[in-house]
Amino acid sequence: MGSNDFASLPYIGEAVLRKEDERFLTGAGQYTDDIQINNMVHAYFVRSPHAHAIIKSIDKRAALAAPGVVAVYDGQDVAADNVNGLPCGWLITSTNGEPMKEPPHPILCQGKARYVGDHVAMVIAETLEQARNAAELVDVDYEVLPAIADIRDAGKNGAPTIHDEAPNNHCYKWAIGEKESVDKAFEQAAHITKIDLVNNRLVPNAMEPRAAIGCYNRASDEYTLYVANQNPHVERLLLTAFVMGLPEHKVRVVAPDVGGGFGSKIYLYAEDVCVTWAAKKLNKTVKWTADRTEAFLSDAHGRDHVTHAEMAMDKDGKFLAFRVHTDANMGAYLSTFSTCIPTILYATLLAGQYTTPQIYVEVDAWFTNTAPVDAYRGAGRPEATYLLERIVSRAGWELGLSQDEIRRRNFIGEFPYQTPVALQYDTGDFHQCLNKAMELADVAGFDARRKESEAKGLLRGIGYSSYIEACGLAPSNIAGALGARAGLFECGEVRVHPTGSVTVFTGSHSHGQGHETTFAQVVAARLGIPVENVDIVHGDTGRVPFGMGTYGSRSISVGGSAIMRAIDKIEAKAKKIAAHLMEASDTDVEFANGEFTVKGTDKKVPFAQVALSAYVPHNYPLETLEPGLNETAFYDPTNFTFPAGTYICEVEINPKTGETRVDRFTAMDDFGTIINPMIVEGQVHGGLAQGIGQALMENCVYDRETAQLLTGSFMDYTMPRADDLPDFKIGHVCTPCTTNPLGTKGCGEAGAIGSPPAVINAVLDALAPLGVKDLDMPATPHRVWQAIQHAKA
Amino acid sequence: MKTELTVNGKTVSLEAEPNTLLVQALREHMGLTGTHVGCDTAQCGACTVIVDGDAIKSCNVLLAQMAGKSVTTIEGLSTADGQMHPMQQAFKDCHGLQCGFCTTGMVMSAVDLCTKHPGASEHEIRELLEGNICRCTGYQNIVRAVKQGAAQMKA
Ligand code: FES
Ligand code: FES
């Protein structure tokens, strides 16, 4: 079935209300911390108060004597048990051919702490309160070392060395593109636009803090780990094969209801390993739940780039070449996917929607004494889009071209399109997106609105951003050649029950995306059965055959395609059963609208009857037709998918206070085929909130001298709240993806990718009359006010 | 220490340490895990419950302070036969939730908000939801849900 046939099926494109909502709305959801198990003990982590310190000694005696304490473990205990450190899932090779520096990442510090919040010891007690109190009694003797927080300090002469394995704190130098031809193209340029910018570090802040419960069954020597995680099978693989040296089938990982992830719950964390390991040691169930401050300290953070870039253009504003140098902060250790973010996922996106023929990108990755950085909503693509869409708007301003004109002149118009940075876009319609966005945003009315604002003493600006992203990371063999240490397929199992209802086991994982509904729509549409008859199971390695989880907007395109493949097999077998029932040849049997028919006759049997017959094979030719109707498929996509769109933002700024209000925000996206428009809109809204949050208020700040986290709570780290955001205007263009059977492209990250440059471009447009040319995110009132004062001076 | 209070219409008597927070009592002692904990600074609103008619953050009060009071949690919002409260239904209809973690607290705040300000405008609703953080929805559909819920609560 091709994507066009698929899009016209019933249920596809329908705003079916979510199946999962009732349990969430009545408090019946079950998040990890909600799980209570008999004989459960509680873990609390002693975390380093210093960013960089030698651990000279740990005295556990007082803690061990405290009420309720069951055990206190430190790095020595881990080492004695041969528990390995956390692996990094992606190997990057430096331009000189050397592998990246990959220092050990122990689950409990081995002799040294490398960021504030690093895991020094684990205290386990009967109650959480006892564990927390006893943690105070663990006496750690630290020798404090000088620390690095800012990436710009990491490579300086005389900077302290964080890992002996990584001299100068350098992890890798990586590049893509032909430097010489890019340099040559710059010599031909009529105009060069330059930009220096910072992509600010963010804290993902899923509302459910991370949590993990390790269980051990001595009788069967089996473990169960309940964990707030986005990809339980990958968690299990890393935990068993790389860290604990256990056979995978002895460990079941369950990620029950998960309260948001945004990337922060993709990774294998030290705490997950610690509770699993301790469960066997103590023969008890060990529970740990982060409090919010721990989440700030120890969840993998996002972004944190410093970039210098230059765009070479001809006299008409056509892009000739793009040259980029980025320094990327890895934090103190390499988190699971950290290394591929500023390289594979960032640099390859720097063609954007444009025909720039030559691109050269160079990335230096550094260690600092900060929490590890990894993928956060969009992962590399927001950083790429922010850079490109800032420099494009600036180029337009410098050349006197409007923000839409500079884009139009450079848009890719024909597909497929091979970019100079590895990707091949299959479909898109960038002009249509821009035009429709401008219409929906009422750009024509902007001047009048600006005058109204001016009359009130306010500044108004409009900003554009035309993003493209790459979703559904693929295919496995290319990713492998680029250093991936995991596959990028997805698995789906479809079990048709005798009564015709269906259970689907998917390796994707829903943590707010509504898979139980969207996936059920896909299956119901394809089989021609009511959506109520389809149940989706995910998040449990004990039930789902295999999976790679949910991140990078891969669920429907990759996970949904795997399910489609499984249904293809179901259909093929069901046709044989139907042929048997109708005494026809299976090559004459057709399937549509939930019915099997025989070509050229009026014979038909409904799907449910075929299902029943599969399990009541009384007069089957059993030598050729097996009973049952279950099928499993693995799907490895041939290419990424490429959602794209144009976002337009209008802000109003009070020049007296620097306060910026987003007055209008328009998002015009091309997600290919849309299964459930209500869910898609919700995803866009959420992404926009995070992107606007990054642009205007969110900022993770470490003290530059001490590397203490200054924004360690919701009191210091500004989260967007209801009255910080406008009502968004959302529209769609549809060019179906050609590389998967659904035609879908993915929608989860678009909002967070496309919005930051639109907001900052709008802010700069508003401030332009005052002479402000540059501003880094977040554009807080203080920063905007300062920029205005500097421009005046 | 013993505290007597009413939870979701039933009188209960709980024996707990004096420093037990209301949210702990609900989640750990009574198994009412619909009330969530999202922060440690009384900033996120995930733990919101209604006490004697006012929405409060249950991570910020002690169980002992609840003596003689009446607490309603998300589990007590539906009718006895399981019919969802109009505000719960409105959240479902308007897709006012994604991961569901902030949702129970959000619904409790919304019920309180609409009881006290039945005619609140969109702008007012946004201001009145200040105490609750949602990381998933971008708030737009929550605001729609609150509007619909308010209308249905009046009806
Ligand atoms: S948990 Fe109570 S306000 Fe966050
Ligand atoms: S629905 Fe996930 S935090 Fe609000």
Side-chain angles (χ1 to χ4, degrees), chain B residues 120-151:
Chain B
S121 67
E122 172 176 337
H123 179 71
E124 287 162 337
I125 292 172
R126 284 186 180 272
E127 281 194 338
L128 289 163
L129 284 178
E130 263 275 277
N132 292 68
I133 301 176
C134 175
R135 193 54 154 168
C136 297
T137 65
Y139 302 104
Q140 185 156 334
N141 289 343
I142 293 178
V143 173
R144 271 178 55 216
V146 174
K147 272 199 207 153
Q148 176 183 319

Side-chain angles (χ1 to χ4, degrees), chain A residues 684-705:
Chain A
V684 175
H685 292 172
L688 291 176
Q690 284 176 286
I692 294 170
Q694 172 172 26
L696 292 183
M697 58 194 88
E698 292 186 42
N699 203 17
C700 176
V701 184
Y702 283 90
D703 181 90
R704 195 158 177 176
E705 297 291 310

Side-chain angles (χ1 to χ4, degrees), chain A residues 193-196 307-311 322-325 387 391:
Chain A
T193 293
K194 298 183 185 182
I195 201 164
D196 283 286
T307 295
H308 173 76
E310 302 175 4
M311 181 72 87
F322 191 34
R323 192 161 58 190
V324 179
H325 182 272
L387 169 63
I391 202 167

Side-chain angles (χ1 to χ4, degrees), chain A residues 65 95 118 215 357 384 414 455 598 633 694:
Chain A
T95 44
D118 206 353
C215 315
E414 275 173 32
V598 180
Q694 172 172 26

Side-chain angles (χ1 to χ4, degrees), chain A residues 3-10 12:
Chain A
S3 60
N4 284 338
D5 311 324
F6 176 76
S8 57
L9 291 175
I12 303 308

Side-chain angles (χ1 to χ4, degrees), chain A residues 51-257:
Chain A
H52 198 192
I54 293 169
I55 299 169
K56 291 169 69 180
S57 65
I58 300 177
D59 186 345
K60 306 191 260 192
R61 282 169 301 183
L64 280 167
V69 171
V70 179
V72 180
Y73 296 124
D74 62 22
Q76 278 182 359
D77 301 306
V78 175
D81 253 14
N82 292 322
V83 180
N84 288 329
L86 306 178
C88 177
W90 203 297
L91 174 76
I92 297 294
T93 305
S94 279
T95 44
N96 64 4
E98 273 181 37
M100 69 187 187
K101 301 294 187 300
E102 195 180 356
H105 184 178
I107 58 165
L108 293 174
C109 292
Q110 307 278 332
K112 206 176 182 195
R114 294 184 171 87
Y115 66 100
V116 176
D118 206 353
H119 315 66
V120 175
M122 170 171 57
V123 179
I124 299 172
E126 302 290 343
T127 70
L128 176 58
E129 202 175 3
Q130 288 168 336
R132 199 186 283 138
N133 289 340
E136 299 278 318
L137 302 173
V138 177
D139 190 3
V140 187
D141 189 8
Y142 294 101
E143 181 189 329
V144 180
L145 303 170
I148 308 160
D150 194 298
I151 192 169
R152 287 164 285 205
D153 300 334
K156 277 189 184 156
N157 261 345
T161 302
I162 299 169
H163 296 278
D164 294 339
E165 298 82 357
N168 308 320
N169 303 313
H170 193 243
C171 179
Y172 59 74
K173 180 182 213 74
W174 179 92
I176 188 168
E178 300 290 324
K179 184 166 189 321
E180 274 153 39
S181 45
V182 167
D183 289 347
K184 224 181 247 134
F186 268 84
E187 287 162 20
Q188 320 293 316
H191 183 82
I192 296 173
T193 293
K194 298 183 185 182
I195 201 164
D196 283 286
L197 52 76
V198 173
N199 203 299
N200 46 322
R201 180 185 276 240
L202 301 175
V203 182
N205 275 321
M207 289 315 298
E208 178 209 22
R210 285 190 296 119
I213 306 173
C215 315
Y216 179 68
N217 181 336
R218 194 168 267 183
S220 59
D221 188 29
E222 287 176 333
Y223 299 80
T224 303
L225 171 65
Y226 296 92
V227 60
N229 185 272
Q230 298 176 216
N231 46 359
H233 284 87
V234 177
E235 168 101 5
R236 183 181 67 169
L237 174 68
L238 296 171
L239 176 72
T240 54
F242 295 94
V243 184
M244 293 182 67
L246 295 170
E248 261 178 296
H249 67 281
K250 290 289 190 188
V251 179
R252 174 177 167 206
V253 175
V254 185
D257 286 329

Side-chain angles (χ1 to χ4, degrees), chain A residues 354-371:
Chain A
Y354 312 109
T355 54
T356 318
Q358 304 271 4
I359 299 176
Y360 177 74
V361 188
E362 202 174 69
V363 181
D364 279 297
W366 305 94
F367 293 103
T368 60
N369 296 108
T370 61

